[in-house]
Amino acid sequence: MPKEKVLVVDDDSAIRYTLTESLRGWGYEPLEASTVAAALESFDAEKPSAVLQDVNLPDGSGLDALLEYKKRQPQAIVIMITGNVQLEDTIAALRGGAYDFIGKPVRLGELQVTIRNGIEAGRLRREVRLLRREQERRFRFDQITGESPAMSEMIRLARKVAASEASSVLLLGESGTGKDLVAKAIHYESSRADQPFIAINCAAIPATLIESELFGHEKGAFTDAKGRKEGLFEQAQGGTLFLDEIGELELGLQAKLLRVLEEGSFRRVGGLKDLPLDVRVVAASNRDLKSESEAGRFRLDLYYRLSVIQIDLPPLRDRGDDVLLLAKYYLAHFNERLRKRIRGLASEVEETFRRYTWPGNVRELRNVIERVMILEDSDLITADWLPRGLVGVERAVSPPPVVAAGAAEVSTPSFQLPDEGIDLERVELSLVRQALERSGGNQTRAAELLGVSRDQLRYRLKKIEESQPEQ
Ligand SMILES: Nc1ncnc2c1ncn2[C@@H]1O[C@H](COP(=O)(O)OP(=O)(O)OP(=O)(O)O)[C@@H](O)[C@H]1O
Ligand SMILES: [Mg+2]
């Protein structure tokens, strides 16, 4: 690894000598300059990791030099060194962005520690900046695949909202439609992009902890509160707080959240003061919050407040040929990840993909493609490896068989028995599978879809397991 460069700027050659020799001893590559002009030249040419800057120089002040370094490179680490430490100078230097201030005579031990910490801090600053740039690139709207009218409309609205002053945004859409992705894009394409993006999944944190998690607490607010703790709202100050699965937030906390949104301030648990807040709240849910609030499971007033700016993410089945666009996107993605060279989809697969209902939306599509690409050996994705449920549902989408005459008064749908008969167990298995797939594995929901109780569904699952242990 090349040595870190440290620039020593002082007009006293004896001091320069001591400092450069020490730096060499500590493993750095010293550079030196005796005037402001020479220092700036060296700074531009050598890009040192840190600068040791004297305050009084023949051709100008070290404070002006500091401002010049910072102008050229805001992350620069500048340590000011001076004979007579004046308070005003110290304050000016720190305001100007000096990393630290050291008085003469320089204590070498102290200087060594300061330089080491300074260079480390500079490295971290550069790293944070790089990561932030990378995030900004990764989480922009142009990374969201989709050209269908439904998607174009959604993205147009979300872009507008990102650029606006809106203090809250509600994202609604089925599971896997890309709410996380849109929440991040809204943050990284807003003027808040340089400030934190903090996400919390309201369903993942026990109700008893979530309040202090969100709002923080004062020392002694409750038995375990040993010290003051910053909440996520505070951590997100200036940026965006993403409240995922907001539908799971308990009613009491919904009231507190509403207060925060309306008043632009919050209070730590056990705190007496309202603290001002500048955070954009992006809330998301895969439930229909309107009917949730009508059913009393979500506060109507909070729903009204949040839905002022509501963005609906269309389900994948309403996005037309986006499904093929996304399939190509994931094909390229997994070709790279799995070191494969699959060219595309066989035409019958394209057809299946177009017709399938994609209850798990983009996430399901991604998983299907990954699975098929692991198994597929030919250079096209063929139907052979598609999950059976996917092909099955496609069939179910085709027009249902006509109910026999005379059965019209039967209110439940009935299926016509084909002449050649059927295998009842297999039909049952296929329906159970489809229900589970559509419900994302949620047995209660799957049971609802099949019109049986959860226990009845369990019983069937057990029966299926026993009869086909290898499946
Ligand atoms: N338009 C898109 N382009 C590319 N990838 C997408 C798109 N939409 C979703 N994805 C991908 O699909 C997966 C699911 O998306 P995401 O996690 O954002 O969904 P979600 O709506 O938050 O789902 P849930 O309600 O289950 O939390 C992610 O891997 C995401 O990167
Ligand atoms: Mg999500």
Side-chain angles (χ1 to χ4, degrees):
M1 240 177 50
K3 291 181 176 168
E4 307 268 8
K5 293 174 185 167
V6 179
L7 173 60
V8 178
V9 189
D10 200 310
D11 53 344
D12 183 331
S13 61
I15 292 181
R16 281 204 314 276
Y17 179 77
T18 315
L19 293 180
T20 48
E21 281 311 299
S22 309
L23 286 166
R24 224 185 297 281
W26 300 331
Y28 299 111
E29 181 184 336
L31 310 163
E32 46 186 307
S34 55
T35 61
V36 172
L40 290 175
E41 199 168 303
S42 173
F43 184 85
D44 287 339
E46 305 282 347
K47 310 216 172 339
S49 306
V51 182
L52 303 183
Q53 177 68 51
D54 185 24
V55 170
N56 295 311
L57 290 159
D59 63 335
S61 129
L63 292 175
D64 295 334
L66 165 68
L67 297 179
E68 278 301 316
Y69 302 134
K70 293 302 251 190
K71 205 154 83 191
R72 288 151 202 237
Q73 216 231 88
Q75 326 284 323
I77 296 295
V78 183
I79 299 164
M80 305 300 292
I81 299 187
T82 184
N84 44 359
V85 183
Q86 299 216 326
L87 191 60
E88 302 92 90
D89 286 356
T90 317
I91 293 171
L94 293 176
R95 282 238 174 88
Y99 173 72
D100 208 343
F101 211 94
I102 284 188
K104 284 181 190 171
V106 172
R107 282 192 297 264
L108 290 173
E110 181 191 355
L111 181 65
Q112 184 182 9
V113 172
T114 307
I115 292 179
R116 196 177 56 214
N117 292 345
I119 288 181
E120 174 65 8
R123 201 179 56 71
L124 286 174
R125 281 181 199 171
R126 283 192 300 278
E127 209 162 273
V128 165
R129 215 168 52 134
L130 258 164
L131 278 174
R132 203 162 264 161
R133 290 239 170 107
E134 164 75 4
Q135 301 282 67
E136 281 171 29
R137 231 190 26 249
R138 274 181 57 202
F139 298 118
R140 296 189 75 91
F141 287 110
D142 49 22
Q143 300 296 308
I144 299 180
T145 309
E147 291 173 359
S148 59
M151 278 302 274
S152 309
E153 184 60 22
M154 189 281 286
I155 290 175
R156 205 173 65 90
L157 174 61
R159 273 214 155 100
K160 264 223 155 98
V161 170
S164 77
E165 295 291 309
S167 62
S168 69
V169 182
L170 180 61
L171 303 179
L172 293 184
E174 291 176 13
S175 182
T177 45
K179 296 184 292 295
D180 278 62
L181 223 53
V182 171
K184 285 183 185 138
I186 287 179
H187 173 73
Y188 286 106
E189 283 203 16
S190 75
S191 59
R192 299 173 175 269
D194 279 345
Q195 305 296 325
F197 174 86
I198 306 272
I200 177 177
N201 185 329
C202 302
I205 296 181
T208 48
L209 295 182
I210 207 160
E211 180 170 9
S212 80
E213 201 60 37
L214 282 175
F215 301 107
H217 60 68
E218 295 292 347
K219 186 172 175 182
F222 42 88
T223 337
D224 290 337
K226 301 233 161 49
R228 171 200 277 182
K229 188 184 132 172
E230 245 194 16
L232 297 177
F233 267 109
E234 265 170 284
Q235 289 174 29
Q237 188 68 277
T240 305
L241 181 63
F242 178 39
L243 296 176
D244 203 0
E245 305 212 27
I246 184 106
E248 308 297 322
L249 203 62
E250 89 179 13
L251 291 164
L253 276 174
Q254 290 178 18
K256 292 198 169 135
L257 174 62
L258 179 64
R259 218 187 119 241
V260 171
L261 293 175
E262 306 228 290
E263 286 164 26
S265 63
F266 77 106
R267 200 178 275 197
R268 296 193 192 104
V269 177
L272 298 173
K273 265 196 324 217
D274 281 339
L275 304 165
L277 194 69
D278 169 28
V279 169
R280 172 183 280 168
V281 171
V282 177
S285 177
N286 50 23
R287 299 201 194 166
D288 176 1
L289 284 191
K290 184 150 191 272
S291 43
E292 289 292 300
S293 37
E294 281 157 6
R297 285 188 294 268
F298 197 81
R299 284 188 69 110
L300 199 58
D301 48 6
L302 179 58
Y303 170 70
Y304 284 139
R305 177 66 178 75
L306 288 172
S307 63
V308 171
I309 306 281
Q310 175 177 329
I311 300 175
D312 292 296
L313 277 81
L316 184 55
R317 64 185 159 279
D318 291 348
R319 298 188 198 173
D321 280 351
D322 280 359
V323 63
L324 300 182
L325 222 67
L326 280 161
K328 291 205 183 88
Y329 168 80
Y330 283 120
L331 201 77
H333 176 80
F334 288 114
N335 266 335
E336 192 170 318
R337 280 263 294 268
L338 306 170
R339 291 169 208 282
K340 292 241 175 175
R341 294 176 141 191
I342 299 180
R343 281 186 299 114
L345 313 179
S347 58
E348 83 265 19
V349 173
E350 288 196 352
E351 204 39 45
T352 305
F353 276 14
R354 270 211 201 90
R355 281 211 219 153
Y356 181 56
T357 50
W358 300 108
N361 294 293
V362 185
R363 184 179 293 115
E364 185 182 9
L365 174 67
R366 179 195 154 103
N367 292 345
V368 165
I369 301 227
E370 180 177 17
R371 170 199 146 101
V372 178
M373 285 181 71
I374 288 170
L375 303 173
E376 186 65 73
D377 289 320
S378 79
D379 67 345
L380 271 187
I381 292 191
T382 58
D384 296 351
W385 298 107
L386 288 184
R388 272 206 246 154
L390 205 129
V391 185
V393 168
E394 184 216 351
R395 283 200 203 108
V397 164
S398 54
V402 181
V403 175
E409 65 275 20
V410 181
S411 61
T412 48
S414 59
F415 298 95
Q416 194 170 30
L417 184 66
D419 293 341
E420 69 280 9
I422 56 154
D423 178 340
L424 187 56
E425 301 247 304
R426 281 195 52 193
V427 172
E428 183 178 311
L429 170 65
S430 153
L431 290 171
V432 168
R433 276 219 179 111
Q434 289 175 46
L436 281 169
E437 224 150 74
R438 202 174 298 178
S439 71
N442 180 331
Q443 293 190 359
T444 313
R445 174 95 189 94
E448 271 170 32
L449 286 169
L450 294 167
V452 298
S453 72
R454 196 156 151 231
D455 284 339
Q456 285 170 321
L457 174 70
R458 287 228 172 109
Y459 165 77
R460 283 182 167 77
L461 284 171
K462 212 159 157 253
K463 198 177 73 177
I464 292 167
E465 239 166 58
E466 281 161 7
S467 64
Q468 320 198 336
E470 79 280 25
Q471 296 232 338

